[in-house]
Amino acid sequence: MLGHTPGPWVTDTSHWQDREGVTIWAESNIIADVVPDGHNQEQANARLIARSPELLRIVEFLGESVEAG
């Protein structure tokens, strides 16, 4: 399995001056910039992406539970 940047990941809009983008951070590292998509979904998309480490832990736990049967 490939590695990933551990959480928590957080969203921030403070450095977007001209646009309504959202940056996802892990400590001092930028994970992603979510740019406006014309549908006003950047906040929701960014929150979903920021929850990725937690979602991964849940999926891994469920997979282990199924394997344990």
Side-chain angles (χ1 to χ4, degrees):
M1 180 172 169
L2 296 176
H4 70 280
T5 302
W9 293 2
V10 297
T11 61
D12 176 41
T13 60
S14 66
H15 85 276
W16 290 84
Q17 297 172 3
D18 299 350
R19 302 185 324 191
E20 295 296 322
V22 181
T23 300
I24 300 156
W25 294 87
E27 296 184 10
S28 62
N29 299 311
I30 293 176
I31 300 298
D33 282 324
V34 180
V35 297
D37 60 4
H39 300 286
N40 298 319
Q41 296 176 346
E42 54 273 355
Q43 288 285 342
N45 291 340
R47 285 191 303 268
L48 179 61
I49 294 166
R51 299 301 297 261
S52 293
E54 183 179 349
L55 294 170
L56 175 61
R57 283 191 298 276
I58 291 168
V59 169
E60 289 174 339
F61 173 78
L62 292 173
E64 291 169 5
S65 296
V66 168
E67 288 177 4

